[in-house]
Amino acid sequence: MSKAKLATAIQEAFPKLTHTDSSKVVDTVFNKMVEILKQDGRFTISKFGSFKLKQVAARKYRNPQSGEPVEKGETKRISFKAATELKKSIKEQAAAGVDPVSYTHL
């Protein structure tokens, strides 16, 4: 689902909101999530899952074309761990024959 489709779904759930307002809500939520991840390194949504910022150590790689070693510095990566409720919901949908990718309601 794209941000635009999410904004449309919010607008349908709350008819008094305009599409512009619902788009602003979506942007604000995602911007706040990024801000919290940068500050705290972790962001949790109850019954959905948690995002965590992980430090990845510097590593040496080999360039496949030239065979020369290449060093890549330390970097950060975002990981996501689904909550038990989300996993259970997806399993139930799959068992019922509903495609969990196209199903939008938890």
Side-chain angles (χ1 to χ4, degrees), residues 76-96:
K76 293 181 181 179
R77 180 179 301 156
I78 298 173
S79 67
F80 174 75
K81 183 176 180 185
T84 305
E85 292 88 348
L86 177 61
K87 290 178 188 178
K88 182 179 174 186
S89 175
I90 290 173
K91 284 182 183 179
E92 288 172 357
Q93 291 168 13

Side-chain angles (χ1 to χ4, degrees), residues 32-33 39 52 60 63 68 73 78 87 93 99:
K32 199 58 154 168
M33 287 173 63
Q39 288 175 355
K52 187 176 180 181
K60 288 186 180 180
N63 183 331
E68 294 179 23
I78 298 173
K87 290 178 188 178
Q93 291 168 13
D99 180 12

Side-chain angles (χ1 to χ4, degrees), residues 27-97:
D27 287 337
T28 301
V29 168
F30 284 117
N31 289 338
K32 199 58 154 168
M33 287 173 63
V34 170
E35 182 182 317
I36 292 170
L37 266 173
K38 286 180 181 179
Q39 288 175 355
D40 302 338
R42 185 178 192 99
F43 183 83
T44 302
I45 302 172
S46 179
K47 297 183 181 181
F48 183 75
S50 61
F51 298 87
K52 187 176 180 181
L53 198 57
K54 293 185 177 182
Q55 193 75 19
V56 179
R59 295 181 56 174
K60 288 186 180 180
Y61 294 91
R62 186 184 61 83
N63 183 331
Q65 290 182 338
S66 66
E68 294 179 23
V70 178
E71 276 198 39
K72 183 174 181 181
E74 207 172 65
T75 186
K76 293 181 181 179
R77 180 179 301 156
I78 298 173
S79 67
F80 174 75
K81 183 176 180 185
T84 305
E85 292 88 348
L86 177 61
K87 290 178 188 178
K88 182 179 174 186
S89 175
I90 290 173
K91 284 182 183 179
E92 288 172 357
Q93 291 168 13

